[in-house]
Amino acid sequence: MKHLQWVTALVLGIAVGALVAQPPVSVQRTIDLDGVASLIVGLALFLGLNLLYQQRSAVASGEKAILIKLANDALDASQGLDTTFGRVHKENPISQGSQEDIYSGLQRYNNAVHTLERSVERCKLAKSKLDLAAILRNREEYRAVLTETPFPIKYDPESYRRQQGHQLAVSEAFVDFILALNRL
Amino acid sequence: MDTRQRFPLSIAAEFSRTPGPRTRAEGEHSAEEFLETVLLRRFNEAVASQGVLFVDLDGGYGYGTSFLEEAFGGLARRKGVQLVLDHVTFKSEEEPYLVDDVLSYIREALTGSAKRQR
């Protein structure tokens, strides 16, 4: 089964040759060495270029998969932060443990965005088509929403609505990024 | 390579591992307290010696935006943006992006986000 495609190609070639070699077409009985050489060189070139294309395509698709995974990790980290904020935002004063949960959630989210940014810089995909600006802007703004004064003492009553707005913006920016990546 | 004398300052070791809110009125370990009791003095020492204040941001539980903005943006508002940029450098291995954030608070101390957040 492994060589089925080659056997099929050979059988088809013989059949086409037999069909073409009907009168008035005549088949040359001698071997044209120039033609054979051109055929072999052409074939070698085709196979070489095809191999190169396949390798590059495999690298690009691997890089895409890695970037999509990193973007999903960052999105998950932002959702973890959303859950933590939902749990602690009514505390007044915010307990030491809850402050640490917010800080460590922020660190996890910021690290995930940082890793994604570095990975985009290093991969060979068309960086100009991948816009990280919205994700980076949201990273800084989200940090400000979650840690702006009066944090770490408490959160303002309207902070929940602001946080939800930013969580939405963060999610949308990641979805846009993943879709753009998928189109490359 | 910068050959000027380095004046190390670890916020966690010399001020608090749990930095607080923006102002003294809002709570303990505030940025205002850090600026007035530690940062200004250490910055003046570094400038007087033509050295660099090397601020280590690692070792604490984390920083609020308001703390960093008030401390370093506040330093830039008092001493001038360029002088601060010339005499302060930052290190954070735990949160490397913090360095960029702090530098942006310093650059925007007299405009932009600093005004928005105050």
Side-chain angles (χ1 to χ4, degrees), chain B residues 9-100:
Chain B
L9 165 60
S10 164
I11 298 178
E14 297 177 46
F15 181 65
S16 171
R17 293 183 69 203
T18 54
R22 185 182 286 272
T23 62
R24 275 197 171 97
E26 288 166 325
E28 290 181 334
H29 309 306
S30 66
E32 194 179 13
E33 181 187 343
F34 171 64
L35 176 63
E36 289 172 357
T37 60
V38 181
L39 187 58
L40 271 170
R41 177 172 50 82
R42 301 297 303 279
F43 176 77
N44 288 337
E45 280 172 17
V47 172
S49 309
Q50 292 294 310
V52 180
L53 185 64
F54 188 72
V55 181
D56 184 353
L57 298 166
D58 290 336
Y61 288 112
Y63 296 94
T65 301
S66 46
F67 182 90
L68 294 172
E69 200 289 318
E70 184 64 30
F72 297 102
L75 182 67
R77 282 188 284 277
R78 292 190 188 203
K79 295 290 179 177
V81 172
Q82 198 53 53
L83 191 68
V84 173
L85 289 175
D86 287 346
H87 289 277
V88 183
T89 58
F90 298 91
K91 167 193 162 259
S92 178
E93 284 167 10
E94 292 167 3
E95 297 184 81
Y97 37 82
L98 269 188
V99 174
D100 287 339

Side-chain angles (χ1 to χ4, degrees), chain A residues 96 99-100 103-104 106-111 114 118 139-141 143-145 147-153, chain B residues 18-23 26-28 61-66 68 94-98 101 104-105 116-117:
Chain A
Q96 180 70 31
Q99 287 175 37
E100 288 167 20
Y103 282 134
S104 58
L106 263 175
Q107 185 175 10
R108 200 160 43 244
Y109 167 59
N110 286 328
N111 279 341
H114 184 71
R118 288 288 177 273
R139 179 190 72 73
E140 197 191 338
E141 287 178 1
R143 183 183 184 83
V145 166
T147 64
E148 182 53 71
T149 209
F151 183 86
I153 309 302
Chain B
T18 54
R22 185 182 286 272
T23 62
E26 288 166 325
E28 290 181 334
Y61 288 112
Y63 296 94
T65 301
S66 46
L68 294 172
E94 292 167 3
E95 297 184 81
Y97 37 82
L98 269 188
D101 288 356
S104 75
Y105 300 147
R116 188 182 70 230
Q117 286 165 8

Side-chain angles (χ1 to χ4, degrees), chain A residues 63-76 79 116 120 125 129-132 135 170-184:
Chain A
E63 285 181 343
K64 254 198 231 183
I66 290 168
L67 289 179
I68 288 175
K69 158 109 182 39
L70 291 174
N72 275 318
D73 287 351
L75 186 56
D76 287 348
Q79 282 160 353
L116 177 65
V120 169
L125 293 170
K129 291 181 185 168
L130 293 175
D131 189 10
L132 271 176
I135 289 175
V170 165
S171 301
E172 285 177 355
F174 278 115
V175 169
D176 288 347
F177 177 80
I178 292 170
L179 290 176
L181 199 54
N182 221 28
R183 281 188 212 110
L184 287 181

